[in-house]
Amino acid sequence: MNVLLLLGLVAVALADVTRFYGEKVFRLKPVLDEHVILIKELASSIEVDFWRPESVELVTIDINVDIHVPAAHTDMVFTMLQQSGMEHEVMIEDLQATIDAQMDNKDISPRSHSYTKYNTLDDVEAWISSISSSNPDLVSKQVIGNSYEGRPMTLLKIGKKSSSSKPSIFLDCGIHAREWISPAFCQWFVKEALSTYGSDTQMTSLLNQMDVFVLPVFNIDGYDYTHKRDRMWRKTRSRSSGSSCYGADPNRNWNAGWCTTGASSNPCSDTFCGSKPESEIEVKNVADFIRKNKSIIKAYLTIHSYSQLLLFPYSYTFQLAEHHSELMSVAEGASEALRSLHGTRYTSGPGAATIYPAAGGSDDWAYDLGVKYSFTFELRDTGRYGFLLPVSQITPTCEETMLAVKYITSYVQKNLY
Ligand code: 0X9
Ligand code: ZN
Ligand code: ZN
């Protein structure tokens, strides 16, 4: 073992890293009002980390509720569930064991970038520099601002160089820190775009006619925090006045029905909407970029996990979007393309009716700005591993998602003029 690695291990051991030994993830299936009340009581009496939906405010009848429960309370919760008669299952027996097992490809070198692992932020940043300097004809990069903790947010532009500005697609990953498969997909997308340009007719035509802006890690501070301190962190890392809690939900912070539904004004909630729209600097930086380039941005794609959904506006209201039927047919075509590879089933639909009503999301904001083709992907899986999708699923997940993304980009391209 080399000295650096040893020092690294010692540093990690000394740092305040959250461990999850004996903690469980339960799936609850409330079908009666009493079940919902019970879940709400539970959430107010012990510390419960909501995985799906993301906060207690979003719990309703007839949806699956995935919750992560600290070790000290698992017996109590189990007994309570047995007595309640509510259907339930244990999804994850020991969260730390599942986190450790997430690194199930032991043969890959831990200290460099790879498309088939969950890269650290340092590795992603090094990759951004090297991929752009080694592909000067197709890639350029630009810093769109700094994060709360002062890290530069680097946006990649992928496309054949042109003297005039081209119609574009905006793709972001990693809005939520713990959804690690998402940044893995943006990196995969860039690799595929560069390696198939010139051979794949669809990709070649796309990059000749359009540019794709890729933001590989939106919530960089949060992403770094999930690698170093708390694997289950979701929000940004900003401080808000009058509270000791950190961060706001960067997908509740956009100016689209802001904080009216499915969001919390409590800074300690995982769905805290922030002190005002765009209070989070990362959101403001991206919103500023999209506003400035709105005449050329024809599609907005944002990658999350998990649940296997392809969502489109609206989520802040149950009202159907003006282009509902067109968006629905594009989403269904994309889901079909995705499924053709490994049989993975996706559900398509407007956010409010398909997952839950939740205001302040980036998809609704982009759509209301005029970006008609606005989609949120929720990648694998449906809850077996949730946010802890094993490394062995990165390749199949990215491969199939590529097909859906290419379906959408082709559709957009065909309808440009
Ligand atoms: O709740 C979210 O922000 C997304 N789900 S996640 O589990 N990745 O957090 C869904 C976003 C759907 N769109 C909007 N709510 N606008
Ligand atoms: Zn998310
Ligand atoms: Zn495959």
Side-chain angles (χ1 to χ4, degrees):
M1 182 181 308
N2 70 38
V3 177
L4 273 178
L5 182 57
L6 187 65
L7 282 175
L9 290 175
V10 171
V12 168
L14 293 176
D16 177 22
V17 177
T18 308
R19 305 264 176 216
F20 303 93
Y21 297 106
E23 310 202 355
K24 292 189 194 309
V25 176
F26 291 95
R27 170 163 292 180
L28 319 181
K29 302 183 176 176
V31 292
L32 301 171
D33 288 336
E34 293 92 277
H35 297 159
V36 173
I37 293 166
L38 190 77
I39 296 172
K40 302 208 168 189
E41 278 170 5
L42 188 68
S44 62
S45 58
I46 64 163
E47 190 198 316
V48 177
D49 168 23
F50 282 80
W51 277 24
R52 179 94 346 179
E54 288 77 15
S55 69
V56 64
E57 295 86 16
L58 296 166
V59 172
T60 58
I61 212 160
D62 289 333
I63 61 167
N64 289 343
V65 178
D66 297 351
I67 55 169
H68 154 211
V69 176
H73 303 298
T74 54
D75 288 348
M76 183 275 281
V77 170
F78 200 72
T79 311
M80 187 209 79
L81 287 171
Q82 304 285 35
Q83 287 166 354
S84 71
M86 179 177 6
E87 203 188 316
H88 59 275
E89 54 192 290
V90 178
M91 300 293 288
I92 296 181
E93 277 288 348
D94 184 290
L95 191 55
Q96 188 62 45
T98 306
I99 289 175
D100 297 341
Q102 190 184 29
M103 305 303 174
D104 61 359
N105 275 9
K106 299 258 159 39
D107 54 326
I108 52 170
S109 93
R111 280 191 60 86
S112 66
H113 181 272
S114 160
Y115 293 104
T116 55
K117 72 173 208 203
Y118 297 115
N119 295 298
T120 63
L121 187 62
D122 288 349
D123 286 345
V124 177
E125 283 171 347
W127 167 83
I128 289 173
S129 305
S130 77
I131 198 105
S132 32
S133 52
S134 47
N135 296 277
D137 298 340
L138 283 174
V139 183
S140 57
K141 56 173 191 174
Q142 130 180 42
V143 174
I144 59 167
N146 286 345
S147 69
Y148 184 81
E149 291 177 346
R151 297 181 176 87
M153 294 174 73
T154 310
L155 184 67
L156 295 170
K157 183 169 90 175
I158 319 286
K160 184 172 181 273
K161 293 276 148 71
S162 144
S163 48
S164 57
S165 60
K166 293 152 75 187
S168 308
I169 312 259
F170 192 97
L171 167 67
D172 67 48
C173 291
I175 283 192
H176 291 134
R178 62 191 176 183
E179 298 164 9
W180 283 8
I181 188 61
S182 167
F185 175 73
C186 269
Q187 294 161 65
W188 187 281
F189 177 88
V190 171
K191 161 187 82 92
E192 282 293 307
L194 299 177
S195 66
T196 62
Y197 179 79
S199 58
D200 178 88
T201 49
Q202 203 185 340
M203 188 58 83
T204 309
S205 150
L206 175 69
L207 299 183
N208 283 340
Q209 199 182 7
M210 301 185 78
D211 287 322
V212 185
F213 290 105
V214 181
L215 184 59
V217 188
F218 186 116
N219 178 6
I220 37 184
D221 296 348
Y223 187 71
D224 192 57
Y225 193 74
T226 58
H227 279 267
K228 293 181 173 155
R229 297 293 146 102
D230 179 354
R231 177 64 186 85
M232 290 304 138
W233 191 256
R234 165 177 168 93
K235 298 187 285 178
T236 61
R237 291 294 302 163
S238 60
R239 295 303 305 264
S240 45
S241 62
S243 170
S244 59
C245 291
Y246 285 77
D249 184 339
N251 213 30
R252 297 292 181 279
N253 192 236
W254 302 71
N255 198 4
W258 180 75
C259 221
T260 51
T261 179
S264 171
S265 50
N266 172 3
C268 299
S269 164
D270 251 349
T271 51
F272 176 44
C273 57
S275 56
K276 56 171 196 252
E278 299 178 22
S279 62
E280 301 315 286
I281 186 66
E282 298 82 2
V283 171
K284 182 171 190 312
N285 290 339
V286 174
D288 280 342
F289 179 87
I290 296 178
R291 268 191 291 263
K292 216 179 297 158
N293 294 285
K294 81 174 199 181
S295 63
I296 59 163
I297 296 178
K298 305 298 173 192
Y300 171 78
L301 307 179
T302 181
I303 312 293
H304 291 251
S305 75
Y306 59 96
S307 289
Q308 295 173 197
L309 304 171
L310 186 40
L311 307 172
F312 52 86
Y314 286 109
S315 287
Y316 70 74
T317 171
F318 280 100
Q319 246 166 47
L320 297 188
E322 186 193 334
H323 310 97
H324 175 85
S325 44
E326 184 184 3
L327 294 175
M328 188 64 159
S329 79
V330 175
E332 290 195 321
S335 301
E336 218 175 276
L338 187 153
R339 186 175 154 194
S340 69
L341 191 61
H342 299 297
T344 310
R345 285 166 186 273
Y346 268 57
T347 305
S348 316
T354 309
I355 175 167
Y356 39 63
S362 60
D363 48 3
D364 286 356
W365 176 83
Y367 183 77
D368 281 349
L369 187 74
V371 182
K372 177 160 78 162
Y373 302 106
S374 177
F375 294 96
T376 294
F377 280 77
E378 294 275 4
L379 303 188
R380 290 191 193 184
D381 55 12
T382 57
R384 168 69 184 84
Y385 296 101
F387 304 117
L388 304 174
L389 192 71
V391 163
S392 55
Q393 290 198 42
I394 295 176
T395 297
T397 303
C398 291
E399 285 173 342
E400 67 194 11
T401 307
M402 236 10 244
L403 297 181
V405 167
K406 283 173 77 176
Y407 181 94
I408 297 175
T409 58
S410 285
Y411 182 90
V412 171
Q413 205 190 335
K414 263 185 274 174
N415 287 276
L416 273 179
Y417 303 106

